[in-house]
Amino acid sequence: MENKIEILAPAGSMDSVIAAVRSGADAVYLGEKEFSARSSAHNFDENELKEAVRYCHIHSVKVYVTLNTIVFDDEMQRLKEAVLIAARADVDALIVQNMGVARLARQLVPSMHLHASTQMSVHSYLGVKALYEMGFERVVVSREMSKKELEKAAEIPVELEVFVHGALCMCVSGQCYFSAMLGSRSGNRGACAQPCRLPFSVGKVKDGHALSLKDNSIIPYITQLQEMGVASAKIEGRMKRPEYVSAAVRACKEQRDNGFISDDTAEILKNVFSRTGFTDGYYTGKTGYEMFGYRRKNDVVSADEKLFSKIRQSYKDELSDIAINGTFTAKIGENPTLEITDGTHNIKVTSDFVCQKAEKVALDKTKCETQLKKTGSTAYFFESLSINTEDSLSLPLSVLNAMRREALAQLDDLRAKRHNYKINDIEITAPDTSCVPKGNGIRARMTTAKFSPAFKACELIYVPIYTDNEKLKSLMADGCNIGVEIPRGLFKNEERIAKRLSEVKQLGVNDALCGNLAAVYMAKK
């Protein structure tokens, strides 16, 4: 099948990288030590990142690095170094939340691909369109989007990345401040304490988990996503163990390649981690009470060492998945040569050993071929190998082994380096403050249009966008400078909100408070 959807796996450690690759992932995403939205994961320093990228690239697996937290002005120098670390490691793309991060990355490494993180809260086609026009190569859309909404977003000529398995936030992606408010641990800084997983009561349910959602799983719909043009099927879970990564990747690969998930794989996926099952409520549009769930005793005990050991066995051996073709040539009185190719890179190794005429036992062609094909501890297997040797030729097997090792090592080096990025030297300067509002600097955001006359002293007062027209006129006539706030959650309401913006513009309102990029896009129009 052409244009297969990419299977994208999480990796919180090198063990998870290996599990993902050997289980069949097409790409992995991981975080550096700083600016990652999963700060509690192990994450990767520069040397570890280089090792991970090398291993993945040898196996034709891409690596995306997350720099997807809010970044402050006094962190820009460290951010610059984080981007440079990623470029030096030769990663395939950066996943970013902060527009300042995107701008700096473009200046430092112009040819590196940028992916817009789900933390950007892109939950409408207008948000996708805005990011496409800004030059992003891929958009990671919010988990809350339905099939219908994804189909509309897929019409925009930019790659879409959709979460197909893993945890759901109780709030809209990128918009949760619960952990920050309760414990000063912000999800937008990679430090969410997951308070929504704690027991909360509502109504007559006094001991429930009223804010905890089951994990999202739309793996059975991967074929649909592929048909609508989605580029990547993403698995959540950089803080989960390698066995979870392997199980989720295998389930996605089975569904994509075979059209179904085997009963054994489905059972393993459920047992390795679930909150009393999974939900597809957002994708199917069937939201409701059945989407809620939490980790119960049966969920915990099913993920035992016996299960983990079984999963580990499935990826314990190196994956020899790269086909190569070769030619071995040896003649009496000459140095033997081994040429190999993976279709892109061509390697030729010549030994220092000079072939001799055999005095007793000549080199057997079958034995020669068998020895050269011993690639089991590498990423390669010989699709074809031509043996061109003379009869009565003597050549030690140790020479064959050394030539094979050298040829494959050189091929590793060539495959590991994909991009050779051109890096610009950009000086980090003080922030531009020219856009800071003049005047008394006081702006007020109101949840209702009823407020004290004292607020008239504010240079700008934002009220809800659906405030009654007569009320808006009255406030402006009374001397208030009024702006409107666009809801943070847009979803299916883009056209309705766009129409309302036109109406308030006609009334004389010239300012809008925007909570996401789609709102900015509409307001600018």
Side-chain angles (χ1 to χ4, degrees):
M1 184 184 294
E2 294 184 3
N3 298 322
K4 281 187 176 182
I5 192 170
E6 172 188 85
I7 296 172
L8 175 57
S13 66
M14 191 61 197
D15 287 342
S16 289
V17 170
I18 292 170
V21 171
R22 292 182 182 177
S23 300
D26 303 300
V28 300
Y29 66 102
L30 47 85
E32 290 186 29
K33 290 294 185 183
E34 287 196 283
F35 310 114
S36 166
R38 291 291 181 269
S39 60
S40 297
H42 169 77
N43 294 318
F44 294 72
D45 63 24
E46 183 165 9
N47 289 332
E48 291 169 332
L49 182 59
K50 287 179 179 178
E51 178 189 1
V53 172
R54 178 181 174 84
Y55 180 77
C56 287
H57 281 181
I58 287 170
H59 283 278
S60 293
V61 172
K62 292 182 177 180
V63 179
Y64 310 137
V65 164
T66 59
L67 295 177
N68 59 339
T69 60
I70 296 292
V71 179
F72 299 126
D73 288 334
D74 61 357
E75 297 172 325
M76 294 302 288
Q77 196 63 48
R78 283 163 32 218
L79 171 65
K80 174 184 174 181
E81 182 57 27
V83 174
L84 294 179
I85 286 172
R88 290 193 293 261
D90 205 47
V91 306
D92 297 279
L94 295 179
I95 305 173
V96 303
Q97 172 190 11
N98 191 310
M99 295 307 296
V101 177
R103 183 181 183 187
L104 179 62
R106 275 279 189 256
Q107 292 174 327
L108 286 168
V109 196
S111 62
M112 184 180 286
H113 282 201
L114 292 183
H115 296 179
S117 170
T118 188
Q119 289 297 108
M120 278 194 176
S121 200
V122 180
H123 52 264
S124 76
Y125 82 98
L126 281 180
V128 175
K129 192 172 184 181
L131 287 162
Y132 164 64
E133 292 182 6
M134 290 177 189
F136 281 81
E137 281 77 17
R138 180 180 291 189
V139 179
V140 188
V141 294
S142 297
R143 298 160 174 84
E144 298 82 17
M145 290 181 74
S146 67
K147 179 190 174 188
K148 204 172 265 190
E149 290 162 339
L150 287 171
E151 286 173 336
K152 191 167 185 180
E155 294 173 2
I156 299 163
V158 67
E159 290 185 358
L160 289 189
E161 186 173 295
V162 174
F163 279 96
V164 297
H165 191 81
L168 284 174
C169 181
M170 180 60 199
C171 189
V172 176
S173 298
Q175 297 282 0
C176 187
Y177 303 96
F178 196 17
S179 177
M181 292 297 293
L182 284 184
S184 298
R185 291 177 55 181
S186 171
N188 287 311
R189 292 283 287 173
C192 180
Q194 299 191 30
C196 58
R197 302 300 179 194
L198 300 174
F200 285 90
S201 62
V202 59
K204 295 180 180 180
V205 182
K206 300 300 180 185
D207 57 351
H209 288 69
L211 297 179
S212 181
L213 291 170
K214 292 177 181 176
D215 278 17
N216 171 54
S217 191
I218 57 171
I219 296 176
Y221 302 102
I222 279 180
T223 304
Q224 283 185 7
L225 294 172
Q226 183 171 265
E227 288 172 350
M228 72 172 72
V230 170
S232 182
K234 186 172 192 173
I235 300 162
E236 184 275 339
R238 277 190 287 143
M239 292 176 64
K240 293 190 174 72
R241 54 193 299 159
E243 295 87 347
Y244 164 89
V245 173
S246 174
V249 168
R250 288 185 186 279
C252 291
K253 189 171 172 60
E254 283 187 15
Q255 180 64 45
R256 182 193 67 183
D257 296 349
N258 305 332
F260 66 92
I261 306 170
S262 68
D263 292 342
D264 184 52
T265 300
E267 187 66 16
I268 289 174
L269 184 62
K270 180 177 180 294
N271 289 339
V272 76
F273 190 93
S274 85
R275 293 183 168 90
T276 321
F278 305 116
T279 178
D280 60 7
Y282 282 129
Y283 182 79
T284 60
K286 298 175 181 177
T287 54
Y289 179 76
E290 62 278 1
M291 292 179 67
F292 290 81
Y294 61 97
R295 293 279 283 169
R296 304 186 187 189
K297 183 178 180 181
N298 288 344
D299 301 317
V300 176
V301 298
S302 65
D304 58 12
E305 183 52 36
K306 183 180 178 181
L307 174 67
F308 293 141
S309 178
K310 178 181 178 180
I311 298 171
R312 283 195 296 272
Q313 282 295 113
S314 70
Y315 65 83
K316 67 180 177 63
D317 297 322
E318 179 57 293
L319 182 66
S320 297
D321 59 336
I322 305 301
I324 57 174
N325 297 288
T327 301
F328 177 73
T329 304
K331 295 181 179 179
I332 295 172
E334 297 181 9
N335 303 100
T337 61
L338 174 63
E339 298 175 74
I340 63 171
T341 180
D342 62 356
T344 302
H345 308 96
N346 301 305
I347 305 293
K348 183 176 181 179
V349 171
T350 302
S351 173
D352 292 335
F353 184 86
V354 178
C355 298
Q356 307 292 324
K357 184 175 177 62
E359 294 182 3
K360 294 182 179 179
V361 181
L363 177 67
D364 179 74
K365 288 188 177 183
T366 302
K367 182 92 172 179
C368 177
E369 181 179 3
T370 300
Q371 204 66 25
L372 288 172
K373 282 186 172 181
K374 288 183 177 180
T375 60
S377 61
T378 73
Y380 310 105
F381 70 93
F382 274 100
E383 198 168 51
S384 69
L385 177 60
S386 176
I387 305 295
N388 303 317
T389 60
E390 292 182 333
D391 295 333
S392 304
L393 177 142
S394 174
L395 184 65
L397 296 182
S398 60
V399 173
L400 292 176
N401 292 336
M403 294 177 72
R404 183 193 66 238
R405 286 193 297 267
E406 175 62 22
L408 296 183
Q410 287 187 32
L411 186 54
D412 276 350
D413 290 341
L414 290 177
R415 291 178 62 84
K417 198 71 174 174
R418 286 188 174 187
H419 303 289
N420 293 306
Y421 291 118
K422 178 184 181 298
I423 299 173
N424 297 324
D425 186 18
I426 302 297
E427 184 180 348
I428 301 296
T429 57
D432 179 11
T433 58
S434 62
C435 61
V436 175
K438 302 300 187 286
N440 62 24
I442 300 173
R443 297 187 173 196
R445 171 180 171 265
M446 302 297 182
T447 57
T448 173
K450 297 178 181 178
F451 49 83
S452 164
F455 281 98
K456 287 171 63 176
C458 295
E459 65 177 18
L460 189 58
I461 304 168
Y462 293 106
V463 297
I465 192 171
Y466 292 113
T467 299
D468 180 76
N469 283 354
E470 294 305 315
K471 183 63 177 176
L472 290 176
K473 292 178 185 176
S474 172
L475 290 170
M476 289 187 285
D478 199 30
C480 297
N481 189 18
I482 295 295
V484 292
E485 180 177 9
I486 301 174
R488 287 178 175 268
L490 300 176
F491 295 99
K492 304 170 187 175
N493 295 307
E494 295 99 332
E495 292 180 7
R496 181 177 170 221
I497 292 170
K499 181 181 177 183
R500 180 59 181 157
L501 281 170
S502 295
E503 291 174 356
V504 299
K505 174 71 174 175
Q506 293 297 318
L507 296 175
V509 175
N510 293 304
D511 295 272
L513 181 61
C514 304
N516 59 57
L517 286 170
V520 174
Y521 191 87
M522 283 192 291
K524 284 180 74 65
K525 281 212 162 191

